[in-house]
Amino acid sequence: MEHRLSLQKPRRPALSMGFKAIAIFVMAVCVVPYLGVLAAAFSGSFETLSHLADTVLGRYTMTTLILVTLVMAGSAFIGAGAAWLVTMTDFPGRRWIEIALALPLAFPAYVLAYGYTHVLDHPGILQTLLRDMTGWGPRDYWFPEIRSLGGAAAMLTLVLYPYVYLLARAAFAAQGASTFLAARVLGRSPFIAFMHVSLPMARPAIASGVMLVAMETIADFGTVAYFGVQTFAVGIYQSWFNLADRAAAAQLALGLLSFALLLVMLERYSRGNASYASGRRNAPLQRLTLSKSQRLGAMVFCLTPILLGVVLPVIALSVMALGSEQDLLSPRYLGFIRNSLTLAGIAAVLTVLAALILGTLHRVSTSRLTGTSLYLARIGYAVPGGVIAVGLLVPFAAFDNALDAWMRSTFDISTGLLFTGSIWLLISAYLIRFLAAAIGAYEGGIASVAPNMDAAARTLGQDMPGLVRRIHMPLLRTSLLTAGLIVFVDVMKELPATLIMRPFNYDTLAVQAYRLASDERLEGAAVPSLVIAAIGLIPVILLCRKIGTGRA
């Protein structure tokens, strides 16, 4: 025994160093965009920023704050309300409604924006029909403007409320019935018991979901850009492309990055105080018996976001696609699909591997290094893609230009742009942006693996790679597959970083949909939008299956 242990001692540090080297590399990749934004913001001229401050910076700030507030409030109201109804009450269709409520996660907000604009805009189907039936002119009636701040908030709310719904549903299900029944015995109505007992106990979970909604809202570009809503994300893109001022884009990105980091701290605070959110389920859950009118109200409340967030957009986009001239099987469109699948596939594999390595290293040997690497990896989810794009392009463009100048002066050879505009730099942006999602899926799966299994494997001579390959990966197959699918779909939907960083003439489905919609060719934009949504349904359906098998 002593001889075998002495043989293992020199092997373990060397193998751990390999994992630590990868963790340090991933940590460095995650830090680069933040340092790049910081350096670029203070190294350039502030003239453009001063001009923006005198003209539109106040509008960017106020519009972003109002948009975030509206989407947070709407998502909390729909998500928490629907979660309580499907968990604590019984009404017709509840079993499939509780699954369908998660489906809007598959749709990017800009896809809904294209569909609703085709239906509700002034030249759209509904207003045209209204004018034909009444004989009114354009100024004879009032109709809500879809291309507005309120319209953007509605689109984002319809696709983001499932974040709150899923977390709130789990919190309500974990509470059990004792506390709620105690309030009912004391004479409280179901609504008062919900407001004073169930809702406060689920508040940390709801707060975490609302913070995720806020992060996604500030990261959105496609919806606000198409609706003409002036947010920080739009300002960064316009400064980069329209004004060709990299420093101003970096300065705006720094402001948005600061707001994103504030949201991260708030999310961690809400999650860190969640110990009182769930209690022991010390009594069987007995669903409330609703009156006929209450059952109807519950059905309407839960069906409305499903109809508005899934059914109507799919119908509208399908009708638009049938009337378009876009051929999904043409070589051009097959190229868009191939580019999207290539980027999403490579990014998903690398992101899941990075999450697996970082998570395993922190599980096996918890230290300041592993904790810091996980913290930096999680920050990326709160940082908009445009900020990451600016933070990566500025330093790597400077490096490419410096290297090319040196090679020209020394060897009379031009190296061109080695990193800027490459597929690998774009994939690095995806990894930074979505690594937190993969880590979350990994941690959800590894929580069910007892630490004793790790200790037994190490006692039997397994090194860290062997532990991952022979123990963790077989046990975490479902969790890792879920993580890969989540990252895959997120990359398929991602727009701002792809617009800024994609290689020349390397367009994706998301870019094609945005380009067609920007040219007001909404029927053509419906085709790539439907493909993105169809692919996005895959992980959502898998998630819904888990909801269905775990329902009360």
Side-chain angles (χ1 to χ4, degrees), residues 357-484:
I357 291 174
L358 291 178
T360 302
L361 187 62
H362 186 65
R363 176 182 170 91
V364 172
S365 56
T366 303
S367 65
R368 182 174 298 178
L369 171 66
T370 59
T372 302
S373 62
L374 283 177
Y375 177 76
L376 292 174
R378 288 191 178 97
I379 290 178
Y381 191 73
V383 181
V387 175
I388 295 175
V390 171
L392 287 176
L393 283 179
V394 169
F396 279 101
F399 174 80
D400 282 342
N401 291 331
L403 178 62
D404 182 69
W406 182 78
M407 292 294 290
R408 284 176 179 272
S409 61
T410 306
F411 303 103
D412 196 24
I413 299 175
S414 176
T415 57
L417 299 177
L418 298 179
F419 295 100
T420 309
S422 67
I423 187 176
W424 295 109
L425 194 61
L426 179 57
I427 289 174
S428 299
Y430 294 148
L431 185 145
I432 297 168
R433 178 77 174 85
F434 303 118
L435 184 55
I439 291 176
Y442 164 83
E443 290 179 339
I446 202 66
S448 62
V449 180
N452 292 339
M453 299 187 68
D454 295 359
R458 299 298 291 270
T459 301
L460 294 174
Q462 290 295 321
D463 49 44
M464 198 174 296
L467 174 66
V468 172
R469 186 177 66 255
R470 298 185 178 182
I471 306 298
H472 288 177
M473 291 187 70
L475 294 175
L476 301 177
R477 186 181 295 111
T478 301
S479 297
L480 296 179
L481 178 61
T482 302

Side-chain angles (χ1 to χ4, degrees), residues 141-365:
Y141 66 97
W142 176 87
F143 197 88
E145 178 59 54
I146 185 64
R147 299 196 189 205
S148 63
L149 178 61
M155 299 299 102
L156 288 166
T157 299
L158 287 174
V159 300
L160 296 180
Y161 81 83
Y163 286 110
V164 181
Y165 165 73
L166 293 172
L167 292 176
R169 181 188 178 279
F172 288 138
Q175 289 177 10
S178 295
T179 53
F180 184 82
L181 291 176
R184 296 284 288 131
V185 169
L186 292 174
R188 304 299 183 184
S189 67
F191 179 76
I192 297 299
F194 165 70
M195 294 297 296
H196 290 179
V197 178
S198 299
L199 189 61
M201 292 179 65
R203 186 174 59 192
I206 296 173
S208 295
V210 169
M211 287 300 106
L212 291 175
V213 168
M215 295 174 192
E216 290 289 344
T217 302
I218 67 170
D220 177 78
F221 171 77
T223 309
V224 294
Y226 180 67
F227 279 173
V229 179
Q230 298 295 306
T231 63
F232 264 98
V234 174
I236 293 170
Y237 184 83
Q238 291 178 342
S239 298
W240 186 273
F241 283 101
N242 298 347
L243 301 179
D245 193 329
R246 307 298 191 257
Q251 290 154 9
L252 290 175
L254 182 60
L256 194 56
L257 177 61
S258 302
F259 186 46
L261 294 179
L262 175 62
L263 290 177
V264 171
M265 290 187 290
L266 291 175
E267 193 275 336
R268 287 178 62 86
Y269 174 80
S270 65
R271 185 154 46 89
N273 289 273
S275 58
Y276 63 88
S278 60
R280 293 183 179 179
R281 193 166 176 170
N282 44 23
L285 181 62
Q286 297 178 355
R287 301 183 183 276
L288 295 175
T289 301
L290 303 178
S291 65
K292 185 176 181 179
S293 60
Q294 290 174 335
R295 289 197 299 269
L296 179 61
M299 288 180 61
V300 171
F301 185 89
C302 293
L303 284 175
T304 299
I306 299 173
L307 292 174
L308 296 179
V310 179
V311 179
L312 291 182
V314 168
I315 294 175
L317 291 170
S318 299
V319 173
M320 293 160 60
L322 292 176
S324 70
E325 300 177 355
Q326 306 295 314
D327 183 6
L328 192 60
L329 300 180
S330 66
R332 185 163 174 263
Y333 257 95
L334 291 177
F336 296 150
I337 296 174
R338 182 181 63 252
N339 295 342
S340 299
L341 295 177
T342 300
L343 290 173
I346 296 175
V349 172
L350 293 181
T351 304
V352 171
L353 287 176
L356 180 62
I357 291 174
L358 291 178
T360 302
L361 187 62
H362 186 65
R363 176 182 170 91
V364 172
S365 56

